Amino acid sequence: MDHYKVLGVHRSATKSEIKEAFRRLAVQFHPDKHSQSSGQVRDSAALRFKQISESYQILIDDRKRADYNVRRSTAQPRGGGGGGGYAGSNYHYNNRSSSSSYDGGARGRNSSGVSMLEVAIRFMTTRAFLLNMAFAGCLLGGAKMIDGGGERMWKRWNSGKSFEEAMDSVEKAKSRQRRGLEDGD
């Protein structure tokens, strides 16, 4: 299903043109308008209204529209014709039964012709992925700074001594103090 054809707009249509086309077609095919019609006409109008609504929801949202355009442009040469829908309506990534769009000899490609590298790049450029990676980087960087900071602080205040040597000298001082207390009694 080509969402642009469903609404009768050009691919470069503005949001206002898409809204106008949707409103015009929604009034024409709204189920309430066909409530008194025969069953076949009513069902046909309801199906058409659902298609119009789906097309509007995808084309009016900038992200969904951009994703649809990318999917449509990559799927069209392989599948021929309309190029598929959006959000699972005609995309069968692992369904090999749709032989018209599946190329069995294309390694690393799914049934819509999108390579696994393209899928990985799309995933890695999503906002959620990038935010999670930035958060993980901050956590790892902070842990590294804290870990290295303790060692640097020790070297700064206790130059020439290792931690073990310092602990030995503390134990010796404690034992001398105990002996001093015992001698003083």
Side-chain angles (χ1 to χ4, degrees):
M1 176 171 72
D2 184 354
H3 295 300
Y4 292 105
K5 285 183 182 177
V6 169
L7 291 179
V9 294
H10 191 267
R11 187 173 175 155
S12 62
T14 64
K15 283 188 174 188
S16 61
E17 292 171 337
I18 292 169
K19 278 184 185 179
E20 181 182 324
F22 169 72
R23 287 181 180 150
R24 179 178 37 82
L25 292 170
V27 167
Q28 183 180 352
F29 291 102
H30 197 278
D32 290 344
K33 184 174 182 181
H34 297 280
S35 62
Q36 302 300 321
S37 301
S38 67
Q40 185 178 6
V41 172
R42 187 174 51 240
D43 293 342
S44 175
L47 177 65
R48 184 86 165 109
F49 183 77
K50 286 180 184 178
Q51 291 174 339
I52 292 165
S53 297
E54 180 185 351
S55 296
Y56 174 74
Q57 288 174 353
I58 290 168
L59 296 181
I60 203 69
D61 184 279
D62 292 333
R63 285 188 178 188
K64 289 180 182 178
R65 184 176 182 180
D67 189 46
Y68 169 72
N69 288 338
V70 168
R71 290 176 188 238
R72 184 173 176 253
S73 66
T74 58
Q76 199 166 21
R78 290 187 162 278
Y86 177 79
S89 60
N90 283 336
Y91 290 105
H92 307 287
Y93 285 110
N94 293 318
N95 182 4
R96 295 175 186 228
S97 65
S98 59
S99 59
S100 65
S101 65
Y102 176 70
D103 182 8
R107 291 186 179 258
R109 292 193 175 270
N110 54 26
S111 63
S112 66
V114 179
S115 73
M116 298 312 257
L117 177 63
E118 288 176 280
V119 171
I121 289 172
R122 285 183 194 161
F123 172 72
M124 287 189 288
T125 56
T126 60
R127 175 179 280 172
F129 179 80
L130 294 174
L131 287 173
N132 286 333
M133 290 304 295
F135 181 68
C138 288
L139 286 177
L140 291 174
K144 179 70 175 163
M145 287 178 61
I146 290 171
D147 185 44
E151 190 175 320
R152 282 192 293 273
M153 291 287 286
W154 177 261
K155 287 180 181 176
R156 181 176 181 186
W157 295 106
N158 300 300
S159 60
K161 290 185 183 178
S162 70
F163 182 75
E164 289 80 18
E165 290 172 349
M167 291 308 294
D168 287 339
S169 66
V170 167
E171 290 298 322
K172 286 178 188 176
K174 284 182 181 178
S175 65
R176 274 184 271 169
Q177 188 179 18
R178 275 188 233 131
R179 276 187 278 161
L181 288 174
E182 290 172 5
D183 293 340
D185 287 336

